[in-house]
Amino acid sequence: MYSFEPTEEQQMLVEAVGKYAGNDLRTAARDAEEGGELSKKLISKGWEIGLLQASIPEAYGGFGERSAVTGVLAVEEMAFGDLAGTLAVMTPSLFATPVLLAGSEEQKQTLLPKVIEGDWSPYTAALIEYAFDFDPLSLKTTATLKGEEYVLNGEKAFVPFANDAEAILVYANLDGQTQGFIVEKGAAGLTIGDEREKLMSLNALPLYRLKLDNVKIPAANRLGGASGHDFEPILAALRLATAATAVGVANAAFEYSLNYAKEREAFGVKIAQKQAIAFMLAEMRTEIEASRLLTWEAAWKLDTGKEDAFTDAYLAATGAADMAIMVTDRAVQILGGHGYIREHPVEMWMRNGRGFATFTGLAIV
Amino acid sequence: MPIEFEAPKPIVQTQFVLKTVAVEMMRAHSRYFDEHEHESPWDYIEFMHTAMKATGVGSLAPKEKPSPPSPLPEGEGGGDEKKEKRPPIAYQALAAQIEMLAWGDVGMYLVTPGGGLGAAAVQAAGTPEQKAKFLARFGGEKPTLAAMGMTEAGAGSDTASIRMRAVLDENTREWILNGEKIFVTAGDKALTEYEQLGRGFIVVWASIDPAAGRAGMRAFVVEAGTPGVRVTKLEHKMGIRASDTAAISLVDARVPYDNILGSPTVEKTTTGFKGAMATFDATRPLVAASGLGVARAALEFLKEKLAENGVQIRYGLPRQKLTSIERDVIEMDIMLRSAWLMVIKAVWMADNKKPNALESSMSKVKAGDVGTKITQKVVEILGPLGYSREFLAEKWFRDAKITDIYEGTGQINRLVVARQILGYSGKELR
């Protein structure tokens, strides 16, 4: 059957996330962007909603089951509040969700409770590399098996909270396959950049470069154990998070510009009464809906194990990236000069909007 | 029910059957009817009539169950439907069937017997007696068609400006209709008495009180054979040539009193007009579905040709590593699938009696864009193969364009979407 209705449980969760997104993230967003910092208190409050905790079974310290559909519903709603804040709150998922999806039984039992029990703590992952043609399926960072150890070499970029991370899930190229390796804090040969990444947006999120210079990892720290893991399900979950956050940010920009257009007067009418503006808004709403449904379907396919789920997650993320820049650009355009001024949030969302073509690796559902 | 995207079994089965029909009865003759405009695909019409009578499949007039979306929650005025029942899927099934037939040939799909937009209007706005009287014929001995006449030479998207008049003759209790309708899809087969066809009808929109504007607009069922009703012209078109597009003149055409859809008196409200618009909420996603069928045909054909020539589409690569053709194909995949999901959502809402004016018009906006963009791009990429009449790509390009025009142009649907999201009336956003 087709159905487009979230379950009651999902609706309650989304409602809780929505409150946090609106009351906390959105109100803090501008100062966080300008000041380059999100308060620990703000992140903890988001953590306490328990999105990650609810996606991990009781056996590993959580209280639920993972569902990509629930994940995309929740992160869309959170990103509607603020993208940087969302990525910060969800950073531990970058470590825990791949362990849940692809870890060995032993890894799940030892690692997951550490991440999810107690307060938010900086567990993170390193996927992105600093290259124009970065390809998660063909990484330049390498892993080589030497005796009982893997040796990692290369550089990683855009790693959230790497500076004080307890452990980092580093993705590297092992004989042509992308594999995850758990790198503990202070590993020899691991250098974390002195300075944070300076990007066009996400100033509030502490992102770092990593250097891996012959970092030696016990063989047991390979994600999935000795035989490793499939990377596709992880990549699909990363892409779905990109898509869902893109929809959330676009929806924020759409709603803000719509409200502005209903207030702002020109030539004696509200500018929303001009077809030039009204049609832009109609197209923005239409494209948001298109991306949202494509994301939902891909998430549902992932949850139900459909064979084209991975391709569909790729399509959803690719489509959402295009949609997000179109919608956020128009939101700025609708506000005109005011859109360009940092008193309004639309310029920040437009800077976010361009990033979704690059952000896969910063969030996971 | 939670969020789910599993096509219901009956829909999958029907699509399977209709695919054979689409290939054997439609595709195989697509080129012929494109090049012999105003000839009729009788084999297809008769086949579909027989098949639909036997199975109910492909019937374009929704059965009694689904009615257009009503704001009433389930249960209120719903009668004794307490028992556990399957979720209704009639509109979803219809959308899927139409998509598949349009994938076969959208022009031929438009002459599928079963009532089309005319029957949809009766279904949406008729009384139980009217439904019984006018819809029964589609299950009769011969294939039968119905049509809808709204557009006039001086009134296209601006439907409130129609000049067709209906005056009540108090003595005979008949409505007298005068005026001319154009662009009536399947109007010829609905009105002209072909020996292959049963007696059809056309739903004609007219004003019973021009001073009242929209409030005075009503629809009338005008049956084939009514004196004074004449098909005056068959249009020559860019595409969908297997489908007749008729101009129809009504000169003192007398119609029984009970053939009016909706109330015969004019109140201050615009209920009559809104009735017409409610019909569009139900039919727009179906028209969108037909456009997407054409787009899918074109995209699949492109992929076949690329594969034959050893061109792979490497899904999953970053854009920076893709060729221009790969980027185009991936973009078209995204457009087509998301547009289809918007159609499914709109008809799912109709099936579940959720108000869907916004979703319905959005699906049409999107499908209009997607249908034209995909078919244009496919012809471009295929180069001489695309432009040549040896293949059907160029025909699909011509066929698809109509999706962005009829049943509300892309612009009119943008206007509807804008009014919905802004909460504006027609006065506030003209």
Side-chain angles (χ1 to χ4, degrees):
Chain A
M1 287 291 149
Y2 292 113
S3 173
F4 297 84
E5 236 157 17
T7 62
E8 234 168 83
E9 215 173 304
Q10 286 167 335
Q11 284 174 27
M12 278 164 54
L13 187 69
V14 167
E15 207 174 298
V17 171
K19 266 193 197 143
Y20 170 71
N23 298 340
D24 302 288
L25 284 186
R26 179 73 69 88
T27 48
R30 175 55 78 180
D31 286 348
E33 170 79 2
E34 301 288 335
E37 199 175 7
L38 288 152
S39 77
K40 188 84 204 320
K41 204 176 139 205
L42 182 71
I43 295 174
S44 288
K45 194 169 176 188
W47 173 254
E48 280 157 19
I49 299 170
L51 288 183
L52 174 60
Q53 297 90 320
S55 75
I56 306 243
E58 270 176 49
Y60 310 121
F63 54 86
E65 286 294 330
R66 175 175 174 270
S67 148
V69 170
T70 306
V72 298
L73 292 172
V75 299
E76 181 199 321
E77 188 72 10
M78 204 185 280
F80 180 78
D82 176 47
L83 180 62
T86 302
L87 299 181
V89 170
M90 302 307 294
T91 291
S93 301
L94 288 175
F95 184 92
T97 303
V99 169
L100 178 71
L101 288 174
S104 65
E105 187 56 35
E106 196 196 334
Q107 286 166 343
K108 289 186 212 178
Q109 290 197 2
T110 53
L111 296 172
L112 292 176
K114 279 205 273 189
V115 182
I116 60 171
E117 283 171 2
D119 200 358
W120 180 96
S121 49
Y123 285 86
T124 189
L127 176 67
I128 298 172
E129 296 175 345
Y130 205 66
F132 87 93
D133 58 350
F134 162 68
D135 180 354
L137 291 166
S138 172
L139 296 176
K140 293 184 170 109
T141 300
T142 56
T144 328
L145 182 61
K146 283 197 178 140
E148 295 294 294
E149 290 175 329
Y150 287 100
V151 182
L152 304 186
N153 277 294
E155 287 183 29
K156 289 286 171 183
F158 295 15
V159 186
F161 296 97
N163 57 329
D164 53 6
E166 298 296 329
I168 305 175
L169 179 62
V170 175
Y171 294 96
N173 188 329
L174 176 70
D175 303 325
Q177 303 288 318
T178 297
Q179 293 286 294
F181 297 89
I182 293 146
V183 178
E184 310 274 352
K185 192 176 197 164
L190 171 69
T191 321
I192 291 157
D194 290 336
E195 281 190 35
R196 278 165 57 169
E197 297 270 16
K198 295 191 181 93
L199 310 182
M200 182 163 75
S201 77
L202 302 182
N203 296 333
L205 187 69
L207 295 166
Y208 293 87
R209 298 272 172 90
L210 304 186
K211 240 190 200 129
L212 299 124
D213 184 12
N214 284 318
V215 176
K216 296 192 175 68
I217 305 290
N221 279 22
R222 178 180 177 184
L223 188 63
S227 51
H229 64 94
D230 283 343
F231 179 57
E232 288 276 12
I234 297 172
L235 182 57
L238 290 164
R239 283 174 167 155
L240 284 175
T242 305
T245 47
V247 173
V249 169
N251 201 29
F254 162 72
E255 191 199 74
Y256 194 91
S257 57
L258 179 136
N259 290 333
Y260 181 88
K262 287 180 80 172
E263 292 296 321
R264 174 74 181 181
E265 291 197 8
F267 308 103
V269 295
K270 309 291 185 194
I271 61 168
Q273 292 179 273
K274 298 283 188 191
Q275 288 190 349
I277 303 294
F279 279 22
M280 279 206 274
L281 289 164
E283 287 167 5
M284 289 154 79
R285 177 69 176 78
T286 301
E287 293 306 316
I288 288 171
E289 180 83 350
S291 267
R292 180 183 286 136
L293 294 180
L294 202 59
T295 304
W296 284 13
E297 186 188 38
W300 172 81
K301 283 186 176 176
L302 199 61
D303 283 343
T304 51
K306 300 282 181 287
E307 59 180 277
D308 51 353
F310 303 148
T311 304
D312 278 24
Y314 169 76
L315 296 178
T318 306
D322 287 346
M323 177 280 296
I325 188 60
M326 183 280 269
V327 169
T328 54
D329 171 75
R330 286 178 170 206
V332 170
Q333 191 69 19
I334 288 169
L335 269 77
H338 296 279
Y340 204 72
I341 304 291
R342 302 220 298 271
E343 272 167 36
H344 290 283
V346 286
E347 63 81 29
M348 181 170 72
W349 290 326
M350 184 177 166
R351 288 183 287 119
N352 287 159
R354 181 62 287 172
F356 292 106
T358 301
F359 288 160
T360 292
L362 294 187
I364 194 165
V365 294
Chain B
M1 232 178 61
I3 291 170
E4 213 183 294
F5 292 88
E6 193 86 63
K9 277 231 174 65
I11 291 184
V12 177
Q13 286 161 353
T14 308
Q15 278 174 315
F16 185 77
V17 175
L18 284 183
K19 186 174 177 183
T20 311
V21 176
V23 172
E24 303 291 331
M25 310 288 300
M26 302 176 96
R27 279 283 176 92
H29 309 286
S30 265
R31 182 55 73 190
Y32 179 86
F33 288 104
D34 184 56
E35 299 197 340
H36 297 78
E37 194 166 17
H38 302 155
E39 282 190 30
S40 298
W42 293 118
D43 287 350
Y44 167 74
I45 292 172
E46 270 151 30
F47 174 84
M48 283 304 281
H49 180 64
T50 312
M52 282 156 51
K53 262 176 70 174
T55 63
V57 164
S59 170
L60 302 188
K63 294 275 164 349
E64 198 48 48
K65 263 268 107 98
S67 51
S70 131
L72 281 185
E74 201 70 50
E76 268 178 56
D80 50 22
E81 294 172 353
K82 270 267 133 66
K83 274 175 275 168
E84 185 86 32
K85 56 174 183 158
R86 283 154 162 246
I89 58 164
Y91 273 118
Q92 295 163 60
L94 205 48
Q97 291 161 19
I98 289 170
E99 195 270 353
M100 186 60 86
L101 292 175
W103 176 87
D105 187 289
V106 68
M108 291 169 79
Y109 145 67
L110 288 167
V111 289
T112 305
L117 294 182
V122 173
Q123 185 69 46
T127 62
E129 294 76 31
Q130 286 171 328
K131 289 182 200 178
K133 181 175 175 196
F134 297 121
L135 299 182
R137 68 190 66 195
F138 300 109
E141 205 49 34
K142 290 180 178 178
T144 304
L145 283 92
M148 169 111 112
M150 173 69 97
T151 301
E152 298 179 4
S157 295
D158 182 12
T159 49
S161 298
I162 57 169
R163 306 275 298 270
M164 178 76 65
R165 277 298 313 267
V167 179
L168 184 63
D169 181 338
E170 295 288 355
N171 297 324
T172 62
R173 303 294 288 165
E174 287 169 322
W175 297 97
I176 304 171
L177 272 67
N178 277 291
E180 184 167 27
K181 293 291 177 188
I182 62 166
F183 299 169
V184 181
T185 299
D188 180 51
K189 290 193 183 55
L191 287 183
T192 304
E193 289 170 58
Y194 289 98
E195 66 178 287
Q196 293 97 327
L197 296 177
R199 189 187 187 199
F201 63 79
I202 159 174
V203 171
V204 175
W205 285 84
S207 176
I208 55 173
D209 182 359
R214 286 175 180 185
M217 280 180 66
R218 291 293 181 279
F220 297 84
V221 178
V222 178
E223 300 213 48
T226 304
V229 180
R230 213 160 50 85
V231 173
T232 50
K233 185 185 176 192
L234 294 178
E235 303 289 351
H236 295 80
K237 304 188 296 294
M238 179 185 186
I240 54 166
R241 291 181 185 160
S243 158
D244 61 272
T245 303
I248 293 161
S249 126
L250 291 89
V251 179
D252 290 333
R254 289 177 168 266
V255 169
Y257 182 78
D258 289 335
N259 283 23
I260 186 170
L261 298 175
S263 159
T265 55
V266 176
E267 295 105 33
K268 286 252 152 58
T269 65
T270 52
T271 321
F273 184 71
K274 283 184 176 144
M277 296 302 120
T279 311
F280 288 131
D281 289 345
T283 52
R284 275 178 179 152
L286 301 177
V287 173
S290 73
L292 296 180
V294 181
R296 182 165 66 87
L299 184 53
E300 285 178 0
F301 178 72
L302 172 65
K303 287 179 176 177
E304 270 169 39
K305 283 286 156 213
L306 290 175
E308 274 173 28
N309 288 277
V311 179
Q312 298 277 324
I313 307 301
R314 295 165 299 164
Y315 292 95
L317 280 192
R319 278 229 172 110
Q320 292 85 337
K321 289 187 173 176
L322 296 172
T323 64
S324 164
I325 286 180
E326 287 174 318
R327 288 182 69 150
D328 284 341
V329 170
I330 285 166
E331 202 176 310
M332 288 190 274
D333 278 325
I334 292 167
M335 289 195 283
L336 183 61
R337 189 65 197 171
S338 57
W340 174 244
L341 294 175
M342 291 177 77
V343 167
I344 286 292
K345 184 177 176 190
V347 288
W348 170 82
M349 292 177 83
D351 277 331
N352 288 283
K353 300 195 167 36
K354 296 172 191 289
N356 72 343
L358 173 62
E359 286 75 10
S360 165
S361 279
M362 283 202 301
S363 76
K364 178 65 168 52
V365 167
K366 182 73 176 168
D369 279 354
V370 163
T372 47
K373 277 188 197 157
I374 288 181
T375 53
Q376 287 168 12
K377 187 53 91 176
V378 165
V379 171
E380 180 205 317
I381 294 176
L382 287 170
L385 279 67
Y387 211 74
S388 161
R389 271 159 46 200
E390 196 177 320
F391 294 112
L392 289 169
E394 63 82 26
K395 177 181 178 295
W396 292 324
F397 162 88
R398 290 183 286 112
D399 285 349
K401 184 57 199 165
I402 193 61
T403 316
D404 205 21
I405 298 172
Y406 63 6
E407 208 70 3
T409 60
Q411 288 63 42
I412 283 299
N413 277 298
R414 277 165 175 77
L415 202 54
V416 175
V417 171
R419 284 175 187 155
Q420 290 279 333
I421 59 179
L422 287 159
Y424 279 169
S425 65
K427 259 207 189 94
E428 288 167 301
L429 178 59
R430 288 177 189 279

